[in-house]
Amino acid sequence: MSFDMLQEKILAFRNPTVAGLDPKPEYVPEHIRKAVYAQYGETLQGAAEAIYQFNCGLIDALRDIVPAVKPQSAYYERLGWRGMEVMERTIRYAHEKGMYVIADIKRGDIGSTAAAYADGWLGETRVGEKSHTVFDADCVTLNGYMGSDSVNPFLEVCKARDKSCFVLVKTSNPGSGELQNIAAGEGSTVYGVMASLIEKWGAGTEGKYGYTRVGAVTGATHPKELAEIRAMMPRTFLLVPGYGAQGGTAEDVRHAFHAGGKGAIVNSSRGIICAWQKTGKNGEDYQEAARNAALAMRDDIGRFLDME
Amino acid sequence: MSFDMLQEKILAFRNPTVAGLDPKPEYVPEHIRKAVYAQYGETLQGAAEAIYQFNCGLIDALRDIVPAVKPQSAYYERLGWRGMEVMERTIRYAHEKGMYVIADIKRGDIGSTAAAYADGWLGETRVGEKSHTVFDADCVTLNGYMGSDSVNPFLEVCKARDKSCFVLVKTSNPGSGELQNIAAGEGSTVYGVMASLIEKWGAGTEGKYGYTRVGAVTGATHPKELAEIRAMMPRTFLLVPGYGAQGGTAEDVRHAFHAGGKGAIVNSSRGIICAWQKTGKNGEDYQEAARNAALAMRDDIGRFLDME
């Protein structure tokens, strides 16, 4: 689905946020873990299965209030192929429940290798005379350090299958400035040059809300840069990590939005999926805790927006 | 294994090259494909199994002349979890045959997410009271756009388990200059700033040949930059893609090496694994063709080196 679909879901739910599904085994409440480990042991298979059950419970609890989920590939890869199998199943389950899925993979490679990633994550993989969808996310995150050769193969698949991508611009981590804030080009910075490239790559793919298929990742923890990037990239949809645990506030992320609360989506991962660890209970309330945290985030961010 | 082990293997084989295992189903010779598809059909499972058999055949053919293999994650991910399962098995098989394994994953993320990737690819993943190795490569490729937060978690695992990584500096693709060659910092370029960061990250991890655990990727297709980077980064081991199909020559890649043919390794993927497509035969000679191509590459590059 394109950003049009995402924007529509956001407006329908009056909620410009995405829940990051970044599960470690220890984030899964004990009652789920115990039952699964009793069957599979403390194995990679056991961890993967526990995470799948946890993800499904979270999706069930969030599907009617949060428009999108963002599974982070690292937490699945660390369980090997069994984790990747659960990533595939999680994406499928989220789709069945009507959620938009951003696969947070931050891939960046060139030519036929970029095309191979695009096949797997957004497109189809050909085997002999047959084609198969694989992960089939709606959207992926990308790293554009290698230039247009690393983004164009994804963009081709996005156009063919009505999908989208986000490319890193200014990330939320403390050390992001080591490269990204270095002065570069004519009066710009490395992230500024990247922002210009992204606007160029996306040009001509604008949808009904005016946003291209090539979005940008800009962290909530750098509000000055966030405001600057919003102004520099008027046609670019923004994915904003760093709210909550990393220190970004609702007042910080307001800079990411256009009028009507359009043009951006804010992520929270642990703030939602680990909310049960702060209720003082045993984790059996994880769905309620995640839902309450998601509603609180929606309302917190909404205070600064003029969503219709 | 650290770069010391890789350097030793290179010197023992008098061969500073690595075979890229970037297999698409159509690169697998027909006799393997036919037999596997007869059993599994033209499915993702069939493609994955065909690729595994092909990889094993290539490893058998190369193990006593080529020190290392470099499986490219994209070609396995495009087959979903079945492909990742074959990536795990391929790494295990290469290790059994004594080869050094560079997992070409170009990951780049921060904090606990970077640590999750490092667990999966180089370290161990904890489930309850138990720890499990997962992909367990010797070395990975990384993208450092996000700064030290994205490299340090890998470096911690590298130190703990005697492993190494390569970070992208100046890549081999035609569009690499769009960001990487922009003027940046004080009289430098974006790739120059990245090179300085890499030398800083690696400092203090030098092994017996003088190279740190944080290597750099620099393409053969930009010989001027390659020579400059070699001079800028005296303690950094270089991974050089772009020889052969992409246009880099033996004369170009000589600039990557220190005296004695030390300090660098040159990759070829399709030039080796697809060599059978150029012999005019039916693919049953794929092992001999790969071996001959690898020997020709070794000798071609060796002409310009003073390896003892």
Side-chain angles (χ1 to χ4, degrees), chain A:
Chain A
M1 291 186 279
S2 68
F3 287 139
D4 284 348
M5 305 285 280
L6 178 60
Q7 185 65 81
E8 262 157 31
K9 270 178 183 291
I10 288 170
L11 294 173
F13 286 5
R14 300 171 58 84
N15 187 0
T17 73
V18 49
L21 299 179
D22 304 7
K24 297 182 91 162
E26 53 268 37
Y27 299 169
V28 180
E30 200 180 358
H31 68 285
I32 297 176
R33 258 186 295 154
K34 264 196 165 164
V36 174
Y37 292 173
Q39 189 175 354
Y40 299 104
E42 290 179 339
T43 58
L44 298 174
Q45 184 179 11
E49 189 55 36
I51 281 171
Y52 180 66
Q53 292 186 19
F54 182 48
N55 282 351
C56 291
L58 290 167
I59 289 166
D60 290 341
L62 300 172
R63 57 176 292 207
D64 62 329
I65 53 167
V66 177
V69 287
K70 182 173 74 62
Q72 163 55 256
S73 183
Y75 295 93
Y76 303 87
E77 287 176 48
R78 80 192 278 274
L79 303 175
W81 67 266
R82 293 179 190 281
M84 296 308 267
E85 196 264 344
V86 159
M87 179 123 178
E88 288 188 38
R89 272 198 280 157
T90 296
I91 293 172
R92 219 151 44 226
Y93 191 82
H95 278 159
E96 281 165 23
K97 302 296 172 178
M99 298 187 91
Y100 186 90
V101 179
I102 302 166
D104 196 353
I105 57 175
K106 299 188 180 69
R107 300 297 191 260
D109 218 303
I110 56 171
S112 56
T113 303
Y117 277 129
D119 288 348
W121 288 98
L122 297 176
E124 293 183 319
T125 295
R126 194 157 188 86
V127 181
E129 299 299 312
K130 299 205 175 131
S131 287
H132 308 268
T133 54
V134 185
F135 291 101
D136 205 24
D138 301 307
C139 182
V140 291
T141 58
L142 299 177
N143 185 322
Y145 184 78
M146 298 174 91
S148 55
D149 303 321
S150 62
V151 174
N152 284 337
F154 280 92
L155 190 51
E156 289 308 309
V157 175
C158 287
K159 288 179 192 168
R161 292 174 55 86
D162 194 19
K163 308 224 169 183
S164 304
C165 59
F166 288 105
V167 181
L168 301 180
V169 173
K170 171 65 185 169
T171 58
S172 60
N173 54 305
S176 68
E178 290 165 4
L179 182 75
Q180 296 163 22
N181 281 48
I182 298 287
E186 292 170 10
S188 187
T189 53
V190 171
Y191 74 78
V193 173
M194 185 63 87
S196 305
L197 287 171
I198 290 169
E199 280 266 304
K200 197 178 81 179
W201 294 330
T205 65
E206 289 82 353
K208 66 190 256 203
Y209 294 96
Y211 302 110
T212 73
R213 291 187 186 277
V214 186
V217 178
T218 54
T221 47
H222 309 289
K224 190 177 76 66
E225 286 94 335
L226 184 53
E228 181 201 341
I229 287 166
R230 177 69 291 168
M232 281 179 70
M233 308 181 83
R235 300 169 305 164
T236 301
F237 205 91
L238 302 182
L239 171 62
V240 184
Y243 169 88
Q246 288 183 52
T249 67
E251 201 162 356
D252 294 332
V253 303
R254 69 193 297 186
H255 301 296
F257 292 90
H258 284 139
K262 294 198 186 76
I265 190 162
V266 180
N267 180 73
S268 174
S269 301
R270 271 168 292 173
I272 294 174
I273 71 175
C274 297
W276 66 268
Q277 294 175 340
K278 297 188 172 172
T279 63
K281 295 184 185 162
N282 62 1
E284 288 186 13
D285 61 334
Y286 80 99
Q287 291 182 293
E288 189 190 343
R291 188 177 173 92
N292 288 341
L295 289 171
M297 180 185 178
R298 178 195 69 183
D299 295 343
D300 183 37
I301 291 172
R303 288 184 296 135
F304 296 95
L305 302 180
D306 57 340
M307 294 196 97
E308 292 113 32

Side-chain angles (χ1 to χ4, degrees), chain A residues 78 125 148-149 173 175 178, chain B residues 78 125 146 148-149 173 175 178:
Chain A
R78 80 192 278 274
T125 295
S148 55
D149 303 321
N173 54 305
E178 290 165 4
Chain B
R78 79 192 279 273
T125 295
M146 300 173 90
S148 56
D149 303 321
N173 55 306
E178 290 164 5

Side-chain angles (χ1 to χ4, degrees), chain B residues 34-49:
Chain B
K34 265 196 166 165
V36 174
Y37 292 174
Q39 189 175 354
Y40 299 104
E42 290 178 340
T43 59
L44 297 174
Q45 184 179 11
E49 189 54 38

Side-chain angles (χ1 to χ4, degrees), chain B residues 54-69:
Chain B
F54 181 48
N55 282 351
C56 290
L58 290 166
I59 289 166
D60 289 341
L62 300 173
R63 57 176 291 208
D64 62 329
I65 53 168
V66 177
V69 287

